[in-house]
Amino acid sequence: MRLKKIAAVFITAIALGSGITAGFPGISLIAGAETSEADFIIEGSFRITGYNGDGGDVVIPDGVIEISDNAFSHNKNITSLTIPAGCKRIGFSAFYYCTGLKSVTFEGDMEHIGMMSFLGCSSLEKIIFKGNIIASENDMGGGIDCNAFMGCRNLKTVEFAETSRIDAIERAAFMDCASLTEVKLPNDVGRISEYVFMNCPELTRLEIPSMTELDQFAAGYMYDEETEKEVLADGTASVRADISFVYEESNVAAVVQKPITLIVTEGSPAEEYARSNSIAYEYISESDISEENPSMGTGFPAYAAYAASVSAAIILLTFYAHRKTRKFSDSFKLLPKNSI
């Protein structure tokens, strides 16, 4: 239970140290169509510290720069959330245990998505990131922080814009996401830390950008809550894990995780990670051609054989076409110039 105990200590500490403050006078914000400005408690420089609305489809007002620690935590009435482009930071446990939340859309660039910010959002199904998640020049903590989406057991899809940049995806950010099947990472991710995709039994394929560093146990492993040991996911091995992630009611049960295939660039850190951990991998090709059922560690050689056979076929077709073209061009020589 080590991971959950650590998370529980942090959440308790931040809850005791935080409070709801009065609205800051004189701030003019533009709320979304489904949301009233009066629903939010604002203080300082456009910072949300609390929420008094009825829930439903919540759109954070334009002009908000930051969402504070615990600002929306334990709100079970919010069903969707839109973060506008101007909002740069989400605090610790900001949306923790918002169990009715089904979708989150980040419309623009973020600097930091805080530790445990969406932890335990059990109804969350889809997350869309449309911009970067990188630190400002004066901040070293850019990216998705530890346990940010941990225990979102109905989360199926995580989408990033292809051209986005992410400083890092930190420890256990998507751990215990029991339904996660599709993660579309952008082309530029600095680091994927340990435990990020641990205990994600349905995640069978993951494309890793060419320069991304992977920490030990970043993907392809399970974690046993009782023995506190990491186990390679092979589709057979079982661990005792609590992928429901509800502090009030522990639900430890047997979990078997399907083996994952990493889609990597030849010579990349991801290939080295796959090789050193005996995890199946395929190489990314320019035409995105890949083997449907790769064998362990075969990688690019399987594609190379395919490419070689295709190349041979092209050469034969070219030779044949050249002969036909030559015959065709020779027939043109027999025609008068003004007839062509």
Side-chain angles (χ1 to χ4, degrees):
M1 300 284 183
R2 180 178 59 187
L3 291 177
K4 292 185 70 175
K5 287 178 181 177
I6 292 172
V9 169
F10 272 110
I11 288 177
T12 302
I14 201 70
L16 291 174
S18 65
I20 297 177
T21 59
F24 188 80
I27 292 179
S28 178
L29 300 174
I30 302 174
E34 301 294 329
T35 312
S36 168
E37 179 183 334
D39 293 342
F40 304 95
I41 300 172
I42 310 291
E43 74 166 13
S45 299
F46 302 92
R47 184 162 61 99
I48 291 179
T49 60
Y51 176 72
N52 293 322
D54 296 329
D57 299 327
V58 172
V59 180
I60 300 301
D62 289 335
V64 166
I65 296 173
E66 181 179 352
I67 299 173
S68 294
D69 300 344
N70 284 311
F72 293 80
S73 66
H74 284 87
N75 187 306
K76 299 181 181 182
N77 298 319
I78 299 173
T79 55
S80 74
L81 176 67
T82 302
I83 311 291
C87 185
K88 300 299 182 183
R89 302 184 67 83
I90 296 179
F92 185 105
S93 193
F95 296 91
Y96 163 69
Y97 208 54
C98 289
T99 55
L101 182 61
K102 294 183 178 181
S103 66
V104 180
T105 302
F106 297 87
E107 292 288 349
D109 293 346
M110 300 288 297
E111 294 177 3
H112 183 77
I113 297 174
M115 182 184 294
M116 304 178 193
S117 50
F118 292 88
L119 186 147
C121 292
S122 57
S123 296
L124 185 59
E125 296 178 355
K126 187 171 185 177
I127 307 167
I128 299 175
F129 298 92
K130 296 184 178 181
N132 304 317
I133 313 175
I134 56 175
S136 63
E137 293 182 1
N138 300 321
D139 187 358
M140 297 297 290
I144 300 174
D145 211 339
C146 302
N147 311 100
F149 297 95
M150 185 177 184
C152 295
R153 62 174 179 263
N154 282 306
L155 179 62
K156 296 178 178 65
T157 305
V158 180
E159 294 182 4
F160 295 86
E162 186 175 344
T163 56
S164 293
R165 293 170 52 206
I166 306 175
D167 282 345
I169 303 176
E170 298 291 0
R171 190 175 195 263
F174 294 97
M175 183 176 177
D176 294 333
C177 290
S179 302
L180 188 60
T181 57
E182 184 177 16
V183 179
K184 295 180 179 178
L185 293 173
N187 294 331
D188 189 347
V189 180
R191 187 183 77 258
I192 299 176
S193 297
E194 63 179 357
Y195 294 10
V196 166
F197 295 108
M198 182 170 277
N199 291 352
C200 296
E202 299 300 320
L203 185 62
T204 58
R205 294 177 68 83
L206 181 65
E207 185 171 323
I208 307 293
S210 61
M211 300 303 292
T212 301
E213 298 285 345
L214 284 85
D215 290 350
Q216 182 65 301
F217 311 124
Y221 279 87
M222 302 180 291
Y223 181 80
D224 194 296
E225 293 280 355
E226 295 179 350
T227 65
E228 298 186 353
K229 291 182 179 180
E230 298 84 6
V231 179
L232 184 67
D234 61 3
T236 302
S238 174
V239 298
R240 300 285 292 176
D242 185 1
I243 57 178
S244 66
F245 218 92
V246 178
Y247 289 114
E248 294 84 353
E249 184 180 349
S250 181
N251 187 27
V252 175
V255 173
V256 177
Q257 183 169 321
K258 297 175 182 176
I260 196 170
T261 298
L262 300 182
I263 316 302
V264 305
T265 301
E266 185 177 13
S268 66
E271 180 187 7
E272 175 57 30
Y273 175 88
R275 285 178 175 272
S276 62
N277 288 278
S278 298
I279 293 174
Y281 67 94
E282 300 172 3
Y283 287 139
I284 300 171
S285 67
E286 291 183 1
S287 57
D288 290 328
I289 298 175
S290 60
E291 292 266 297
E292 287 188 3
N293 298 302
S295 58
M296 188 70 71
T298 54
F300 186 75
Y303 170 71
Y306 172 82
S309 63
V310 172
S311 298
I314 291 173
I315 291 171
L316 289 173
L317 287 172
T318 302
F319 176 73
Y320 178 76
H322 176 71
R323 291 183 63 188
K324 297 291 286 185
T325 303
R326 185 173 179 180
K327 287 181 65 178
F328 186 67
S329 61
D330 287 344
S331 66
F332 267 91
K333 294 177 184 178
L334 303 176
L335 299 174
K337 290 182 178 181
N338 58 5
S339 66
I340 301 177

